[in-house]
Amino acid sequence: MSERQIADGKRESTPRSRPEKDRPWLMRTYAGHSTAEASNELYRRNLAKGQTGLSVAFDLPTQTGYDSDHVLARGEVGRVGVPVAHLGDMRRLFQDIPLEQMNTSMTINATAMWLLALYQVVAEEQGADLTRLQGTTQNDIVKEYLSRGTHVFPPGPSLRLTTDLITYTVTHLHKWNPINICSYHLQEAGATPVQEIAYAMSTAIAVLDAVFASGQIPEERRGEVVARMSFFVNAGVRFVEEMCKMRAFSHIWDRITRERYGIEDPKQRRFRYGVQVNSLGLTEAQPENNVQRIVLEMLAVTLSKDARARAVQLPAWNEALGLPRPWDQQWSLRIQQVLAHESDLLEYDDIFEGSKVIEAKVGQLVEESLAEIERIQEMGGAMAAVESGYLKAQLVASHAERRARIESGQELIVGVNAFKTTEPNPLTADLDTAIQTVDPAVEDRVLRGLKDWRDSRYQPPFNHPRPCKALERLKEAAKGTDNLMEATLECARAGATTGEWAGALREVFGEFRAPTGVSSAPVAVSAEEGTALAAVRHKVERTARDLGVGKLRFLVGKPGLDGHSNGAEQIAVRARDAGFEVVYQGIRLTPEEIVDAAVAEDVHAVGLSVLSGSHARLVPDVLTRLREAGAIEVPVVVGGIIPGGDAEVLRAAGVAAVFTPKDFDITGIIGRIVDEIRTANQLDPLEVPA
């Protein structure tokens, strides 16, 4: 062929069209802080940047059913999310955001019914068609007992609230996902892929069994309920295994819904899930490495078309340091947008179909997960396994094993226990500006606003009826078998507060303290002679003898409403294995309760764990109360997500030591605590390596 013919051929050829792309997943960032007004501004800014859905983070008082002026809310208001105490707050949170056009995810569990009621009433005030409201309430209480700690009521009443919310939305809010079975926090608490699948599926079985047993759903509408079930999962950095986990999830869900519940329509059996990639694996050391971790973790839930997430939210690179700034959240959003719009990912069918490696791994996960699900069913189901402490003990043990692998170097974490040499990091050169801080004055403003609401809710322009009758009706409904959503909506319209709604239900249902799993957790680290733990055990025994006591006593306390207890549990377990007598009462304690326990148990050290940012308020309170109680010789150590400047302030206030996520050597931490006990009691240092 001549050059002319070649040239003519080029001119005559037409550009090859690209394959039609799939629609991208919903793109969200988990956001909310300080006040409803500040969060509203953040939401509108993120939507303008191309975010396609909202994911609301509520603060801990809102999540646990307290108003901002409750004693347990001190230092927690607006820290890890937005405070929403009443209808006025919800109005301001979504001002100028048309809810009929929005897809809103609300990470809320114990108080999910209340927050959805407030959301619905605001939508009604906007003139929205309720049948077009789209979004999700997490509404999964089981994992709160196991990992996140925002539960309020005992398992039975909690399951009823979940059930009533599901049945209400199926009837009235036709596009709303009333539950997001959440395995995300199970992985954060140490769950293996098999445990994550098995515990999430066992929760789904417990919920569906309760919904169908309630008699509120006709037989012919069972498929609608199953179709509205969604899941929220975690994706770790082992992205091949994580992708296989998602395919296994899909296979097992299809099997359970078909065989257990008789759902014939494959569309109704489809496994629908959203994801936030792993925050547990984000490191304080060399935090720039978190960007590549986040990308790899996102690939686990997007590469496989047959098991692709329907919604993705990514953490920010600096979440191990503190609260991300808007720019950091934008960076995470741009990661999603580049993958969806610049790459060719969405142009192909499933690229793993037919892979022998993938099929073998998926088959293994399915087999092992089904065996664990069966084991839980033999115990009486997920709720029984929660109450017996089985699930919690398994998670504590798995987490301890992972920590032991990291400490021994068997599992490498770049920048933490390997490749630690680093250049100065320009991203964190000024750490005070590398994260967003919540102005302490925010809490005072929120408290004034709450008081103003209580004083003016019956007056123009609100003219709400007094909530007393609505709250009494709620209590009467709770004592009976009526669906609680209608009474909850009445409370919302009457201007009741979060604390008033939850307080009314507390009167009827009572409260619940979940098992800690510490006492039953097996030993995960060897204490054979010559090991680091053996050396620390010798220090513990020698110090006890020097003080003339049988055992050193160590109180591990979690002040405030921070329910993320994984770190505290691991410290408690390792201290136990090192020979301490450990006092650990679980989560949600006031400084007064912690000090009372320290004095009553005559402990030799107090360890406080705070991840919510409330350390600046709560830790000095504990120190002051210990001094007032005469326990001057009891050293206090603190662990959590604590910026360097705050750590200096805490040490100046009298804290003996501050530990942050970069301090991964738990055995070394326990050895340091022994040293602080000796120093506080004027004992000579021990030259025993820890």
Side-chain angles (χ1 to χ4, degrees):
M1 183 179 290
S2 69
E3 290 183 6
R4 182 185 181 93
Q5 288 173 311
I6 293 172
D8 289 343
K10 285 181 178 178
R11 282 194 296 269
E12 291 169 4
S13 65
T14 57
R16 186 173 54 186
S17 61
R18 289 184 175 180
E20 185 177 346
K21 278 191 169 186
D22 279 352
R23 187 174 62 180
W25 52 88
L26 273 172
M27 299 182 190
R28 293 180 170 130
T29 51
Y30 182 50
H33 66 85
S34 301
T35 64
E37 293 87 347
S39 298
N40 172 264
E41 181 183 350
L42 178 62
Y43 295 162
R44 288 188 285 111
R45 196 158 62 230
N46 285 347
L47 290 169
K49 292 174 181 175
Q51 186 173 297
T52 53
L54 293 177
S55 181
V56 182
F58 296 100
D59 75 353
L60 288 173
T62 304
Q63 293 182 50
T64 51
Y66 295 110
D67 287 333
S68 300
D69 56 359
H70 191 277
V71 62
L72 275 168
R74 289 177 299 183
E76 305 283 15
V77 177
R79 286 281 174 185
V80 301
V82 57
V84 175
H86 47 74
L87 187 57
D89 286 338
M90 191 65 89
R91 287 177 183 134
R92 289 191 291 274
L93 185 62
F94 291 106
Q95 185 173 340
D96 299 323
I97 298 176
L99 297 186
E100 188 176 298
Q101 301 171 27
M102 194 50 52
N103 191 307
T104 304
S105 172
M106 294 194 282
T107 302
I108 195 71
N109 296 282
T111 55
M113 180 178 286
W114 173 244
L115 272 299
L116 181 59
L118 294 177
Y119 187 88
Q120 176 179 323
V121 173
V122 169
E124 291 170 350
E125 292 176 347
Q126 290 184 357
D129 178 354
L130 297 185
T131 63
R132 297 182 62 184
L133 289 186
Q134 294 186 74
T136 304
T137 33
Q138 194 166 95
N139 197 27
D140 170 13
I141 201 64
V142 171
K143 60 91 177 54
E144 298 301 319
Y145 298 124
L146 301 176
S147 56
R148 225 175 136 257
T150 69
H151 55 276
V152 176
F153 312 111
S158 294
L159 187 57
R160 177 184 171 187
L161 285 166
T162 298
T163 296
D164 285 356
L165 181 54
I166 291 171
T167 55
Y168 174 82
T169 55
V170 168
T171 305
H172 296 92
L173 307 180
H174 300 158
K175 293 188 176 182
W176 193 268
N177 296 318
I179 189 168
N180 220 351
I181 304 293
C182 186
S183 71
Y184 174 86
H185 300 94
L186 300 180
Q187 187 180 118
E188 297 281 289
T192 64
V194 167
Q195 289 172 330
E196 189 178 342
I197 295 169
Y199 298 173
M201 287 296 166
S202 296
T203 297
I205 289 170
V207 169
L208 284 175
D209 285 357
V211 168
F212 297 144
S214 74
Q216 299 182 64
I217 298 294
E219 183 78 24
E220 64 274 12
R221 299 192 67 183
R222 284 188 167 206
E224 294 178 47
V225 176
V226 170
R228 301 279 283 284
M229 301 282 283
S230 61
F231 292 78
F232 186 70
V233 304
N234 201 328
V237 75
R238 293 171 56 83
F239 75 97
V240 175
E241 182 176 64
E242 293 293 326
M243 188 268 292
C244 292
K245 179 187 75 181
M246 299 322 308
R247 296 170 83 93
F249 253 127
S250 182
H251 290 321
I252 292 174
W253 182 241
D254 185 80
R255 178 170 170 175
I256 288 173
T257 53
R258 185 179 67 253
E259 295 181 1
R260 187 180 183 93
Y261 301 111
I263 307 303
E264 297 297 333
D265 187 343
K267 289 184 179 179
Q268 293 178 330
R269 297 198 309 267
R270 183 182 176 190
F271 181 75
R272 301 177 307 123
Y273 77 99
V275 66
Q276 173 163 318
V277 306
N278 190 295
S279 294
L280 175 68
L282 302 185
T283 62
E284 179 186 10
Q286 298 181 25
E288 65 276 10
N289 296 335
N290 294 329
V291 176
Q292 47 264 38
R293 292 185 179 107
I294 290 167
V295 171
L296 286 171
E297 290 163 355
M298 178 178 60
L299 290 175
V301 294
T302 54
L303 275 180
S304 172
K305 180 178 179 180
D306 290 349
R308 183 171 292 150
R310 295 187 59 171
V312 176
Q313 58 191 46
L314 304 181
W317 69 276
N318 55 350
E319 285 198 17
L321 306 176
L323 188 67
R325 301 157 299 186
W327 184 87
D328 307 311
Q329 292 190 330
Q330 173 184 298
W331 192 357
S332 290
L333 175 62
R334 296 293 185 248
I335 290 172
Q336 294 199 60
Q337 290 170 330
V338 168
L339 179 64
H341 301 300
E342 294 188 25
S343 84
D344 59 352
L345 174 70
L346 299 178
E347 297 175 7
Y348 297 94
D349 287 335
D350 197 285
I351 60 177
F352 296 102
E353 185 177 351
S355 165
K356 293 180 180 178
V357 173
I358 299 300
E359 288 177 358
K361 183 62 177 177
V362 171
Q364 175 197 345
L365 291 172
V366 168
E367 181 181 355
E368 294 178 8
S369 299
L370 288 172
E372 181 66 6
I373 292 169
E374 183 60 31
R375 188 175 297 115
I376 293 168
Q377 291 306 112
E378 289 172 356
M379 295 177 186
M383 289 303 185
V386 165
E387 292 179 299
S388 71
Y390 169 78
L391 295 183
K392 182 64 173 179
Q394 294 296 108
L395 291 176
V396 171
S398 294
H399 199 178
E401 291 168 5
R402 177 180 182 270
R403 295 293 310 209
R405 291 194 301 272
I406 293 172
E407 290 177 56
S408 68
Q410 181 183 349
E411 186 171 320
L412 297 184
I413 309 295
V414 173
V416 175
N417 65 352
F419 312 112
K420 291 183 282 187
T421 303
T422 182
E423 298 295 326
N425 185 346
L427 292 173
T428 58
D430 183 358
L431 194 54
D432 290 335
T433 62
I435 56 173
Q436 180 161 314
T437 56
V438 176
D439 184 352
V442 162
E443 185 164 332
D444 292 333
R445 291 201 299 271
V446 171
L447 294 186
R448 287 196 301 272
L450 178 60
K451 182 179 183 302
D452 290 344
W453 175 264
R454 290 198 187 111
D455 291 342
S456 64
R457 54 186 165 181
Y458 320 120
Q459 304 167 8
F462 306 117
N463 298 317
H464 292 289
R466 292 190 178 270
C468 305
K469 289 184 178 179
L471 291 167
E472 286 302 316
R473 184 190 164 199
L474 176 66
K475 286 190 278 190
E476 287 304 310
K479 292 173 185 175
T481 59
D482 289 350
N483 188 300
L484 294 172
M485 189 64 183
E486 290 294 349
T488 295
L489 283 164
E490 187 177 330
C491 290
R493 295 183 180 113
T497 67
T498 298
E500 289 169 345
W501 177 85
L505 293 180
R506 279 183 169 99
E507 287 184 36
V508 180
F509 294 151
E511 294 191 70
F512 183 74
R513 293 196 70 81
T516 66
V518 168
S519 60
S520 55
V523 175
V525 176
S526 171
E528 294 177 4
E529 203 60 41
T531 63
L533 186 57
V536 172
R537 286 182 70 97
H538 291 317
K539 291 176 70 169
V540 171
E541 292 164 0
R542 170 70 182 276
T543 303
R545 286 199 305 272
D546 290 348
L547 291 174
V549 297
K551 269 193 168 187
L552 292 184
R553 291 179 295 279
F554 178 42
L555 183 146
V556 178
K558 286 197 63 65
L561 295 175
D562 169 31
H564 288 84
S565 57
N566 305 330
E569 289 154 2
Q570 294 306 310
I571 292 290
V573 168
R574 193 67 57 84
R576 176 205 68 184
D577 295 345
F580 274 95
E581 179 182 327
V582 176
V583 179
Y584 178 56
Q585 299 171 320
I587 62 172
R588 215 175 298 171
L589 300 170
T590 64
E592 296 94 318
E593 290 170 328
I594 289 172
V595 171
D596 287 347
V599 172
E601 299 288 346
D602 193 20
V603 300
H604 299 97
V606 171
L608 303 177
S609 170
V610 186
L611 284 85
S612 64
S614 60
H615 50 267
R617 178 85 177 268
L618 298 179
V619 173
D621 195 358
V622 172
L623 290 169
T624 299
R625 292 176 186 279
L626 278 172
R627 292 184 189 120
E628 291 173 350
I632 301 173
E633 76 290 349
V634 177
V636 174
V637 301
V638 180
I641 299 177
I642 300 173
D646 287 3
E648 292 177 13
V649 171
L650 292 178
R651 282 189 285 264
V655 168
V658 176
F659 302 103
T660 64
K662 70 176 183 298
D663 301 301
F664 68 92
D665 180 5
I666 298 180
T667 299
I669 290 173
I670 302 303
R672 174 74 181 280
I673 292 168
V674 181
D675 293 339
E676 297 298 341
I677 292 173
R678 295 190 68 85
T679 299
N681 288 275
Q682 300 179 334
L683 298 175
D684 292 335
L686 289 178
E687 297 301 323
V688 180

